[in-house]
Amino acid sequence: MENKSFEEYLKSLEDIVKKLEDKSISLEAAVSNYTTGLELSKKCYDILNTNEQLVVQKMTESGLVDFDSEHQ
């Protein structure tokens, strides 16, 4: 899977969801789309997680309080 932006991955994931909602989709196509959807979902999660870590790191470097430590 090529490197795309978060928005591109999300758009692809939305397209797959629409295909899966189509009742005329074959079982093989549904399984293939579902598998691709899982991969896209993982890519989106990884991008979000990486960016969250960057924000927390920048906050820490700036002396700002970590969001998670306030809510524990």
Side-chain angles (χ1 to χ4, degrees):
M1 200 174 285
E2 62 191 68
N3 285 334
K4 297 181 179 181
S5 71
F6 174 80
E7 292 77 13
E8 290 170 319
Y9 284 126
L10 191 57
K11 172 72 172 108
S12 296
L13 187 56
E14 290 170 349
D15 292 343
I16 286 175
V17 169
K18 287 179 185 173
K19 289 178 187 175
L20 289 172
E21 289 174 341
D22 183 353
K23 303 223 186 296
S24 65
I25 191 171
S26 70
L27 178 60
E28 292 81 14
V31 170
S32 176
N33 279 292
Y34 180 78
T35 301
T36 302
L38 287 176
E39 293 170 5
L40 290 168
S41 177
K42 170 114 174 56
K43 275 288 201 188
C44 288
Y45 173 81
D46 289 345
I47 291 169
L48 287 173
N49 191 41
T50 298
N51 284 292
E52 178 186 28
Q53 290 173 4
L54 288 172
V55 168
V56 169
Q57 178 184 356
K58 294 295 180 186
M59 289 175 55
T60 302
E61 289 171 358
S62 299
L64 299 173
V65 178
D66 181 1
F67 290 122
D68 289 334
S69 66
E70 289 182 3
H71 295 94
Q72 292 180 5

